[in-house]
Amino acid sequence: MRVSKEGEYIYGWQPIWEALNHRPETIDILFVAEDLSSSKKKRLLSLAKEKGVRIKFRPTSYFDSLVKKAGHKIIHQGVVGLLKQYKEAHLEDILAQKPTLLLALDHIQDPQNLGNIIRTATAFGVEGIIMPKDRAARVTPTVIKASAGTALRMPIVQVANLAQTLEMLKENGLWVVGTMARGEIPVWEVPHDLPLVIVVGHEHKGLSRLIKEKCDFLVTIPMQKDIDSLNVASATAICLYEIWRKKVKNA
């Protein structure tokens, strides 16, 4: 999986700070506004020099032009990183680390949702994210921005067949936990001492039938009866936090 095409950009302080700290090899050139003046700018420039990233200064009009070409609203904050192309994360490498918590996405299509999910996953101990190659959002500069740059440090693997991949993960000792809007067992009853793969479904359709059949547990977030369901990013955050909390508490 390629996180970006060569020649794409990431925008804003936090995504670029994350990239410089965790994946500096992904940035070809850091563009900084000539009239930008702050202590944050000094720290950013110092970090970029430390990581060996090229720096170029440009007038504010240059950044405004980039944003206009992007075709959607972006807040650049006077800093833009030109991305290199780099190789995908490999599932075999993730499994070699004996992970205890992975996240699988069953055709998440909204870039903002994907970015928010990646950020949450990073915060709550997820060691890798698995998602399909087809009919799903890919990691773009918009997703990187929504993830506050954490997409550049999270190992993300794209697979041709998610159901087959889940079966393979089970063969490697992981237990598959599917999330549902209604019914099944509460998320707090998930055994925290097992290596887990949490699976979240499509924004509107939820988990597909085939993916449900691959799950060892199907869990839900109990809520007030007059609330139908949560946004997938919010529901993912709650589930991951509850599992992470139990793991930390019982460590």
Side-chain angles (χ1 to χ4, degrees):
M1 188 270 297
R2 281 173 164 72
V3 166
S4 69
K5 295 179 181 177
E6 186 177 4
E8 287 188 337
Y9 297 87
I10 55 173
Y11 305 82
W13 289 101
Q14 191 61 37
I16 289 175
W17 184 262
E18 286 283 342
L20 289 174
N21 269 296
H22 300 284
R23 295 294 299 274
E25 74 278 6
T26 64
I27 299 183
D28 187 17
I29 304 171
L30 176 63
F31 293 99
V32 181
E34 293 172 338
D35 58 353
L36 206 60
S37 178
S38 69
S39 59
K40 286 173 66 177
K41 174 185 174 181
K42 292 179 181 178
R43 295 203 310 274
L44 195 69
L45 293 177
S46 176
L47 181 60
K49 290 175 182 177
E50 177 189 327
K51 300 295 184 178
V53 175
R54 291 185 291 167
I55 302 168
K56 293 187 178 182
F57 295 93
R58 292 289 186 269
T60 303
S61 58
Y62 174 83
F63 299 89
D64 294 338
S65 175
L66 285 180
V67 169
K68 188 175 181 180
K69 289 179 182 177
H72 52 275
K73 188 177 180 181
I74 293 174
I75 300 175
H76 57 71
Q77 298 176 295
V79 287
V80 169
L82 175 63
L83 293 174
K84 296 178 183 177
Q85 205 171 28
Y86 65 96
K87 293 182 180 179
E88 65 179 7
H90 295 287
L91 190 56
E92 294 80 5
D93 295 335
I94 295 174
L95 291 175
Q97 302 300 315
K98 302 296 183 183
T100 61
L101 185 59
L102 299 178
L103 179 65
L105 309 179
D106 187 8
H107 296 97
I108 298 297
Q109 295 187 331
D110 182 84
Q112 289 295 327
N113 281 335
L114 179 57
N116 288 333
I117 287 170
I118 293 170
R119 186 176 187 180
T120 295
T122 306
F124 297 135
V126 170
E127 296 152 272
I129 294 176
I130 303 157
M131 58 189 196
K133 290 180 179 179
D134 299 324
R135 295 181 291 114
R138 68 183 186 91
V139 179
T140 62
T142 299
V143 171
I144 295 170
K145 178 73 172 177
S147 77
T150 57
L152 293 172
R153 69 161 112 161
M154 172 64 68
I156 300 173
V157 179
Q158 285 187 322
V159 297
N161 189 307
L162 183 59
Q164 289 180 3
T165 300
L166 292 177
E167 193 63 44
M168 185 267 285
L169 292 174
K170 292 168 73 171
E171 292 170 359
N172 278 268
L174 288 106
W175 294 73
V176 179
V177 180
T179 55
M180 304 282 291
R182 285 285 180 266
E184 310 306 330
I185 65 173
V187 65
W188 54 73
E189 292 186 8
V190 173
H192 68 275
D193 55 347
L194 298 176
L196 303 174
V197 185
I198 309 302
V199 191
V200 297
H202 182 277
E203 286 91 341
H204 305 296
K205 300 176 183 177
L207 297 179
S208 66
R209 178 191 57 80
L210 186 56
I211 296 302
K212 286 180 191 176
E213 292 175 356
K214 299 297 181 182
C215 294
D216 299 300
F217 306 97
L218 291 171
V219 303
T220 191
I221 302 169
M223 295 182 292
Q224 298 279 6
K225 292 182 179 179
D226 58 345
I227 299 296
D228 182 44
S229 64
L230 296 174
N231 168 275
V232 65
S234 299
T236 302
I238 292 170
C239 290
L240 291 179
Y241 173 74
E242 178 60 24
I243 292 165
W244 176 82
R245 182 188 67 81
K246 290 177 69 176
K247 285 181 176 290
V248 170
K249 181 179 178 182
N250 294 278

